[in-house]
Amino acid sequence: IPSEEEIQLAKHRVQYQEGLFHFAATGVSGAGKSSLINAFRGLRNRDEGAAPTGVVETTANIARFPDPNPKNPFVWYDVPGSGTLNIPDWQYFTAQGLYVFDCIIILFDTRFTMTDLAMLVNCRRLNIPTYIVRSKSDSHIRNIIKESGYDSDEDEDRSGRNALYSSAREQYIAETRATVKYNLQEAKLPDQRVYIVANSTMVSTVRDQKLSEKTIDELELMRDLFREAQSRRCGKGIDRS
């Protein structure tokens, strides 16, 4: 349990402000944390004010990004990837001072890691709400389609691709939910939902107020995050549109 002095130092380091709700996005290097934070803020990666992204880990220290919508008293934090630091899984949570955040988003791309599980254990111990999110879903679904041997050149009316996309999408969703459920059971943690999202779909959901036919859990994730903020920190003044 962190001391009061450690808590105050960590809050000072991340510029914690009472009256705001502080979301931290964690995960291994390359999981897509920066892109997802941009999407949460209604920004594409090349937009002005967007969090920097790249093939290699671009976050050396916790980076702070206020929400550009003045109606949303949120601050989003990009936490350095756990795979880039010489810190044991069980120390990552305390080393980064994550105990001061109001909510933690645990993001993974291909596999759920021991650091992710350690994060859940620590958050549960300190009563910090967590959201498990799998990113880059559009890319993973495309890979399933490619692995099926689909040839777009032979499908003149795209009917074959549409049917295969639907099948690949359902396979991906089912496999993701089963994998997370298994990992939680193995770690003797209670079952909880995994939100399956794609950054491009999230941007259109947040900024353009549009639901794509490829939407999976983007809308539910944003609604649940906003409701969490409303119930714990921000009163009734949140724009949930």
Side-chain angles (χ1 to χ4, degrees):
I1 300 296
S3 67
E4 183 60 30
E5 181 181 4
E6 289 171 326
I7 291 172
Q8 293 306 317
L9 285 172
K11 284 187 172 182
H12 177 73
R13 189 166 63 246
V14 301
Q15 301 175 53
Y16 187 100
Q17 292 179 252
E18 297 297 334
L20 299 181
F21 196 86
H22 305 77
F23 295 96
T26 69
V28 299
S29 174
K33 299 184 301 295
S34 301
S35 295
L36 184 64
I37 285 175
N38 290 336
F40 282 147
R41 299 166 66 226
L43 301 175
R44 302 189 189 282
N45 288 343
R46 295 185 179 181
D47 289 346
E48 183 178 355
T53 59
V55 176
V56 298
E57 179 71 26
T58 54
T59 306
N61 300 298
I62 295 178
R64 184 180 190 272
F65 300 95
D67 198 286
N69 185 346
K71 295 181 180 180
N72 296 334
F74 307 147
V75 185
W76 306 90
Y77 291 84
D78 192 351
V79 180
S82 54
T84 63
L85 303 172
N86 188 24
I87 299 174
D89 298 329
W90 58 275
Q91 287 184 352
Y92 179 76
F93 180 87
T94 51
Q96 294 296 320
L98 298 179
Y99 41 79
V100 302
F101 290 102
D102 300 304
C103 176
I104 292 181
I105 298 159
I106 300 173
L107 184 68
F108 74 102
D109 174 14
T110 56
R111 64 187 182 90
F112 214 49
T113 69
M114 291 302 296
T115 304
D116 299 327
L117 293 170
M119 188 79 63
L120 287 169
V121 170
N122 280 298
C123 287
R124 183 173 175 79
R125 184 167 57 95
L126 296 177
N127 197 31
I128 301 172
T130 56
Y131 290 81
I132 301 172
V133 179
R134 187 172 190 186
S135 64
K136 304 181 183 179
S137 297
D138 46 354
S139 297
H140 290 300
I141 292 171
R142 283 197 298 270
N143 288 338
I144 293 174
I145 293 174
K146 289 178 182 177
E147 290 170 2
S148 72
Y150 171 77
D151 188 345
S152 59
D153 293 334
E154 296 180 358
D155 186 11
E156 296 181 357
D157 63 359
R158 296 274 179 167
S159 59
R161 178 177 176 80
N162 292 338
L164 192 54
Y165 176 84
S166 178
S167 175
R169 182 180 185 274
E170 293 306 313
Q171 175 186 335
Y172 173 71
I173 292 172
E175 289 177 351
T176 297
R177 299 204 190 288
T179 297
V180 171
K181 184 179 182 68
Y182 173 79
N183 286 328
L184 292 175
Q185 288 177 341
E186 286 292 294
K188 295 181 171 54
L189 288 167
D191 191 25
Q192 74 179 82
R193 177 174 182 174
V194 54
Y195 296 84
I196 301 170
V197 305
N199 293 333
S200 58
T201 310
M202 182 66 77
V203 170
S204 63
T205 302
V206 174
R207 182 170 72 178
D208 303 329
Q209 304 287 301
K210 291 170 59 179
L211 285 183
S212 165
E213 61 181 9
K214 295 183 178 180
T215 296
I216 302 178
D217 293 327
E218 289 84 359
L219 180 60
E220 287 82 359
L221 175 59
M222 291 307 299
R223 282 180 174 170
D224 289 349
L225 289 176
F226 281 25
R227 285 170 181 160
E228 188 75 59
Q230 183 183 45
S231 66
R232 290 175 62 92
R233 181 70 57 177
C234 302
K236 299 180 180 180
I238 295 176
D239 178 6
R240 289 195 286 171
S241 60

